[in-house]
Amino acid sequence: MVDDEAGFREFVSARLGRLSRIAYLLTGDHHAAEDLVQVTLVKVARHWRRVSQAGAPDAYVRRALYHEHVSSWRGRRVLEMPTTDPPERGTGRDESAEAVRRIVLRTALAKLAPGQRAVIVLRYFEDLSEADTADALGCSVGSVKSQTHHALARLRVIAPELAELIEDSEVLA
């Protein structure tokens, strides 16, 4: 039991940053991302011995994170309505084009359905194949292709200024 706990602590310590970034991309909110990671890790901790002995704890925890995210928005039918304008920063300095693009991308991702957002995060942030994305989400490869197609089409409408980025991602796909 002590070895399991130490192994779990070591795993969390090494991967918390990456899990937090993934959760933020999925939720679009720092507090919701922290909650998502915490709930997921509490659930994984209960089964850590089995998870670690299976030999792929990273994949298991990421899949648990995605499933927890999907479960959280399925149970809650109240949708947040993000604004079209990013909040003002108040620093008084000009933002670079890259920072503006990140803000536009974050705002556009927030307007996608949670399932579409999950597919985009898995395919383009996590750089998973269609098959690995389908496995992580527990759906078919056809669903991943369809969700990706619809998400990219929606992003074109929501944020035409991301067209170059979307076109680059389609070339890579």
Side-chain angles (χ1 to χ4, degrees), residues 17-81:
R18 182 149 180 88
L19 291 171
S20 296
R21 285 188 295 275
I22 293 167
Y24 176 76
L25 289 171
L26 290 171
T27 63
D29 178 75
H30 288 289
H31 299 292
E34 289 173 0
D35 290 345
L36 177 60
V37 171
Q38 183 175 8
V39 168
T40 301
L41 290 175
V42 166
K43 289 181 177 182
V44 168
R46 294 181 198 146
H47 308 287
W48 183 248
R49 177 180 298 217
R50 186 171 27 114
V51 170
S52 63
Q53 289 175 350
D58 286 312
Y60 183 92
V61 173
R62 278 198 320 266
R63 185 173 184 167
L65 186 74
Y66 304 133
H67 282 274
E68 185 61 35
H69 170 66
V70 170
S71 295
S72 70
W73 62 260
R74 276 189 183 150
R76 161 189 63 122
R77 291 295 180 202
V78 177
L79 298 176
E80 295 178 17
M81 298 304 290

Side-chain angles (χ1 to χ4, degrees), residues 36-150:
L36 177 60
V37 171
Q38 183 175 8
V39 168
T40 301
L41 290 175
V42 166
K43 289 181 177 182
V44 168
R46 294 181 198 146
H47 308 287
W48 183 248
R49 177 180 298 217
R50 186 171 27 114
V51 170
S52 63
Q53 289 175 350
D58 286 312
Y60 183 92
V61 173
R62 278 198 320 266
R63 185 173 184 167
L65 186 74
Y66 304 133
H67 282 274
E68 185 61 35
H69 170 66
V70 170
S71 295
S72 70
W73 62 260
R74 276 189 183 150
R76 161 189 63 122
R77 291 295 180 202
V78 177
L79 298 176
E80 295 178 17
M81 298 304 290
T83 63
T84 57
D85 298 322
E88 294 181 1
R89 297 206 180 238
T91 60
R93 64 177 192 214
D94 289 339
E95 295 291 331
S96 69
E98 189 63 31
V100 170
R101 187 163 82 171
R102 279 195 310 269
I103 291 168
V104 169
L105 180 59
R106 188 178 320 141
T107 303
L109 282 173
K111 292 180 181 179
L112 291 177
Q116 290 177 343
R117 177 187 270 196
V119 168
I120 293 297
V121 169
L122 288 169
R123 291 283 289 126
Y124 300 108
F125 177 75
E126 286 282 319
D127 199 26
L128 294 182
S129 68
E130 290 169 340
D132 291 339
T133 300
D135 184 51
L137 294 176
C139 65
S140 70
V141 173
S143 291
V144 170
K145 289 179 181 182
S146 171
Q147 287 293 319
T148 302
H149 173 77
H150 292 299

Side-chain angles (χ1 to χ4, degrees), residues 149-164:
H149 173 77
H150 292 299
L152 292 175
R154 178 91 173 113
L155 286 173
R156 274 190 208 92
V157 171
I158 294 170
E161 58 269 36
L162 295 176
E164 178 183 314

